[in-house]
Amino acid sequence: MDLKGKVAYITGGTKGIGYGVAESLLEAGMKVAISGRKLEDAQKAAKSLSNDADLVLGLSSDVTKLQDEKDAIKSIEEKWGQVDVVLANAGVGHFAPIDELEDDKWHQMIDTNLNGVYHTLKASVAALKQSKGYYITLASLAGTNFFPTAAGYNATKFGVVGFTQAAMLDLRQYDIKVSTIMPGSVASHFNDHTPSKDDAWKIQPEDIGQLVLDLLKMNPRTLPSKIEVRPTRPDKK
């Protein structure tokens, strides 16, 4: 894919991994729309990415609502006329033993992590058919490795991996490429964490940005459909 002038949409793009990917795509010459639940936050993040309003767009969208995602895609098409790359990145995590996990937290993870990636794809698939574009989900190593206190989170990320792989088989007939990225520990704001120098050993958001660029630059005949990525050397504590 020739990236110059191509248009990307990133959910959960106001900070962390989404923001880091947005930076990488802008540096590669793309135009980028980012969304968050609060319009003020999205617009503030967009302005910090670039002062050029022709290159970046901040949108409000709650991925748990299909209409929000349809409205976001419509806004992008009205501004730039196309959507070439979509990164379904928005996600939440709550961790507790299953007998202690609160019902509302279970449903929030299902609605955001799993229903969200479905809504984002359903809203953008027509545009991706037109552009022969790329749809990428941000899953997790928790989508293949289960662990205590993560029954809800594991359920959503296992679901994201399965959803993305099946969607890949459905959509490649339209020359749409579909991949899922499954990171381990990332220095991000996930789960209300504030990144610091103690996170230097972790994957950095810009590393995921580089990985997305590598996928986009892959020869069209080749599709890395599921990518596991982890820190080279875990923290020794």
Side-chain angles (χ1 to χ4, degrees), residues 196-225:
S196 70
K197 62 181 181 180
D198 293 333
D199 296 315
W201 63 273
K202 296 179 180 179
I203 299 166
Q204 301 299 307
E206 60 265 28
D207 301 334
I208 303 298
Q210 180 61 56
L211 182 53
V212 170
L213 285 175
D214 290 342
L215 287 174
L216 300 182
K217 293 178 180 179
M218 182 69 64
N219 191 294
R221 65 173 174 258
T222 302
L223 176 61
S225 58

Side-chain angles (χ1 to χ4, degrees), residues 143-155:
T144 191
N145 302 317
F146 50 86
F147 55 94
T149 75
Y153 190 67
N154 281 145

Side-chain angles (χ1 to χ4, degrees), residues 11-216:
T11 67
T14 62
K15 56 187 176 181
I17 291 175
Y19 188 91
V21 174
E23 286 184 308
S24 297
L25 299 187
L26 284 167
E27 290 173 3
M30 296 183 67
K31 301 173 181 178
V32 178
I34 58 172
S35 69
R37 283 176 292 178
K38 296 181 180 179
L39 180 59
E40 181 181 0
D41 291 343
Q43 291 178 335
K44 182 178 179 180
K47 190 172 182 179
S48 70
L49 284 165
S50 175
N51 286 319
D52 189 343
D54 290 332
L55 297 179
V56 64
L57 175 65
L59 299 167
S60 64
S61 180
D62 179 347
V63 298
T64 69
K65 301 174 181 177
L66 177 57
Q67 190 59 51
D68 275 18
E69 285 296 270
K70 287 182 177 180
D71 291 344
I73 294 297
K74 181 180 179 181
S75 295
I76 297 167
E77 291 183 309
E78 288 176 348
K79 183 176 180 65
W80 290 312
Q82 64 196 73
V83 181
D84 302 287
V85 178
V86 176
L87 175 64
N89 167 73
V92 297
H94 300 292
F95 301 91
I98 189 59
D99 55 318
E100 299 176 13
L101 182 65
E102 297 174 10
D103 290 348
D104 62 332
K105 290 183 169 56
W106 166 272
H107 288 292
Q108 185 187 26
M109 287 188 286
I110 295 291
D111 287 343
T112 304
N113 299 354
L114 191 52
N115 291 341
V117 300
Y118 168 76
H119 292 157
T120 302
L121 179 56
K122 289 293 284 188
S124 63
V125 68
L128 292 173
K129 285 180 180 180
Q130 289 291 322
S131 64
K132 300 185 186 301
Y134 212 133
Y135 181 75
I136 302 169
T137 61
L138 208 294
S140 169
L141 288 181
T144 191
N145 302 317
F146 50 86
F147 55 94
T149 75
Y153 190 67
N154 281 145
T156 62
K157 292 304 184 178
F158 270 71
V160 169
V161 172
F163 169 82
T164 309
Q165 296 294 279
M168 176 268 295
L169 297 177
D170 290 339
L171 298 179
R172 59 184 177 177
Q173 64 177 307
Y174 303 106
D175 294 320
I176 298 174
K177 299 179 84 171
V178 179
S179 300
T180 189
I181 298 174
M182 304 166 63
S185 298
V186 180
S188 74
H189 294 81
F190 179 73
N191 204 28
D192 296 325
H193 176 72
T194 300
S196 70
K197 62 181 181 180
D198 293 333
D199 296 315
W201 63 273
K202 296 179 180 179
I203 299 166
Q204 301 299 307
E206 60 265 28
D207 301 334
I208 303 298
Q210 180 61 56
L211 182 53
V212 170
L213 285 175
D214 290 342
L215 287 174
L216 300 182

